[in-house]
Amino acid sequence: MPHLRWLTSGESHGPALSVIVDGVPAGLSLGAEAINHDLARRQLGYGRGGRMKIERDRALIEGGVRGGETLGAPIGLRIENRDFANWQGRMGAEVFETAPAPLSTPRPGHADLAGALKFDRRDVRDVLERASARETAARVAAGAVARALLAAVEVRVASRVCAIGGVEDPTEVDPRQWCLPGPGRDALEASSLRVLSAEAEEAMREAIHSVSHEGDTLGGVVEVVALGLPVGLGSYTQWDRKLDARLAGAVMSVHAIKAVELGDGWAAAGRRGSAVHDPITRQHGRYLRTQNVAGGLEGGVTNGEALTLRAAMKPISTLRRPLPSVDLLTHRPVDANTERSDLCAVPAAGVVVEAMVCLVLADALLEKCGGDSMRELLRNVEAVRQQMGAHP
Ligand code: EPS
């Protein structure tokens, strides 16, 4: 059974999104401020839609925390949807006084048609409300709890945008320069697209601006890095214990993510082994690598190097110039439904993928180092680090 479990509930225009996180040790300092910081980061990004002008996502801690410290009990978080005020007659739980007209024109690229067929729904809104990327607000809130747990053992997770709509940021830089607190990280977070290069940011903004006039949308690529992980998280002994598989599955579950790579994944596939596998050295009592093509994982186990992962996000499915579809009620050809939506949400996807990485890594940390209390966990992590010969 996972050591850190979490479940979300709620629809995009319903009353709220909720998430319960179970398995966090007692004694972790946790306040709404840290959670709200990540929720605010998720709302940003040039190309985000009109909903972001309505919402001010904040988490209400409804259980599991007392006096700023976790209790070892399930942590309940709730994020109110301010937009619900505009949807009361159409998204409340009670029987409608006047049933809203069913939405019967599924959008290609979203869960609309497959979901309506699967759950035998006549109104596609019954599907799209839960399938909406709005749900990622709950994931980010849960991820912020996991991030606090990782930070307590000096593990840091951060993301940057590598490409939008085929416009790439060619910057090659040590991730410590933008992953750890400092001017590099501050500059990245201040960027309207969370990208390292100012030139690339300008070109990406142009690309987003041009599609906005054509009723189209863009996707892109994000990179997530985790620093400070102890050696030995995950395992090669069973398919479902391999940390690369757990990370890839979690990240693939994020809305619109259609490909994930660990380390130099796709590029390494075209190179020789002698150029790919990371030579081992030993310095100051610690095993090191002269490069990190593997991205910090070998055999599904952390090897002490920076964990690096990239994820590819498909373009947003709602197009203002809609694609052909079929009306579920008449079976006649029709233009797909167009909902208010984003033009590009790649910067937000980086924050969501960070959250998923934090949740998987926190689970793997508890799996190896256990601990009902933070005092127990910290003692165990230090013992593991000493034993693995890796100093923080
Ligand atoms: C989102 C909220 C939603 C969508 C978006 C992400 O708000 P609304 O539907 O009210 O505009 O904008 O979801 C999608 C674009 C999608 O395709 O699911 C959010 O809070 O992130």
Side-chain angles (χ1 to χ4, degrees):
M1 181 176 88
H3 293 74
L4 189 75
R5 299 185 298 161
W6 53 281
L7 282 178
T8 75
S9 81
E11 283 71 39
S12 180
H13 303 105
L17 293 164
S18 300
V19 59
I20 291 182
V21 183
D22 188 40
V24 176
L28 173 68
S29 295
L30 186 70
E33 188 182 341
I35 301 170
N36 295 340
H37 173 70
D38 276 346
L39 288 173
R41 292 174 67 225
R42 190 199 72 95
Q43 289 201 247
L44 298 174
Y46 182 74
R48 283 292 244 152
R51 179 70 181 274
M52 296 304 116
K53 295 185 176 60
I54 298 171
E55 302 300 341
R56 296 287 175 276
D57 292 340
R58 300 176 61 75
L60 180 65
I61 301 178
E62 297 191 312
V65 181
R66 179 169 183 254
E69 277 201 2
T70 56
L71 302 174
I75 297 170
L77 305 172
R78 178 184 171 90
I79 302 155
E80 304 274 338
N81 285 323
R82 289 170 59 148
D83 202 18
F84 177 57
N86 305 314
W87 290 79
Q88 293 264 12
R90 294 175 284 167
M91 280 301 297
E94 303 309 317
V95 175
F96 296 127
E97 282 177 24
T98 313
L103 184 61
S104 57
T105 52
R107 300 162 297 175
H110 225 300
D112 296 8
L113 179 56
L117 298 175
K118 171 183 175 65
F119 286 98
D120 190 23
R121 308 305 296 173
R122 297 292 173 278
D123 184 349
V124 171
R125 184 160 299 284
D126 291 347
V127 175
L128 69 85
E129 284 291 337
R130 178 62 186 171
S132 166
R134 176 71 188 156
E135 190 256 352
T136 62
R139 299 189 189 207
V140 166
V145 176
R147 187 194 300 274
L149 182 62
L150 293 171
V153 294
E154 302 302 320
V155 173
R156 308 278 177 210
V157 177
S159 69
R160 70 176 178 122
V161 169
C162 303
I164 287 181
V167 178
E168 298 195 359
D169 175 359
T171 310
E172 295 278 338
V173 67
D174 183 327
R176 283 171 295 192
Q177 289 187 23
W178 54 269
C179 191
L180 300 175
R185 177 165 177 72
D186 295 344
L188 178 68
E189 291 300 313
S191 155
S192 65
L193 290 171
R194 302 192 60 253
V195 63
L196 288 172
S197 149
E199 291 76 19
E201 178 179 0
E202 193 45 48
M204 290 171 182
R205 286 174 68 97
E206 271 305 303
I208 295 168
H209 190 69
S210 60
V211 296
S212 70
H213 291 304
E214 297 159 29
D216 220 325
T217 60
L218 291 178
V221 177
V222 297
E223 180 179 63
V224 174
V225 171
L227 297 180
L229 286 166
V231 173
L233 302 190
S235 177
Y236 59 84
T237 59
Q238 200 55 256
W239 72 275
D240 59 350
R241 300 185 59 162
K242 290 197 153 187
L243 199 49
D244 40 6
R246 289 151 71 175
L247 285 164
V251 171
M252 278 298 286
S253 80
V254 174
H255 304 66
I257 299 296
K258 303 310 287 182
V260 178
E261 68 174 7
L262 275 300
D264 291 13
W266 291 102
R271 305 211 300 256
R272 293 186 175 191
S274 54
V276 167
H277 306 306
D278 304 322
I280 299 168
T281 65
R282 187 168 172 87
Q283 284 173 19
H284 313 303
R286 185 174 172 193
Y287 292 107
L288 299 173
R289 303 312 174 94
T290 57
Q291 61 182 32
N292 186 22
V293 172
L297 284 169
E298 286 169 313
V301 183
T302 51
N303 67 8
E305 297 298 320
L307 187 143
T308 63
L309 172 151
R310 288 192 179 202
M313 180 184 196
K314 73 179 183 184
I316 299 287
S317 309
T318 305
L319 306 180
R320 281 209 312 279
R321 188 189 299 171
L323 292 173
S325 184
V326 174
D327 189 306
L328 294 186
L329 303 181
T330 66
H331 297 165
R332 290 207 185 96
V334 68
D335 280 349
N337 165 45
T338 55
E339 294 264 324
R340 174 188 62 197
S341 184
D342 304 293
L343 292 170
C344 172
V346 177
V351 178
V352 178
V353 173
E354 283 177 33
M356 298 306 289
V357 169
C358 285
L359 286 159
V360 170
L361 293 180
D363 178 53
L365 181 77
L366 292 172
E367 178 185 54
K368 177 155 186 69
C369 302
D372 293 311
S373 70
M374 286 308 292
R375 195 151 62 99
E376 191 179 356
L377 174 66
L378 294 174
R379 186 192 63 215
N380 295 347
V381 170
E382 184 50 34
V384 164
R385 281 186 161 140
Q386 291 302 330
Q387 179 180 319
M388 299 294 169
H391 297 287

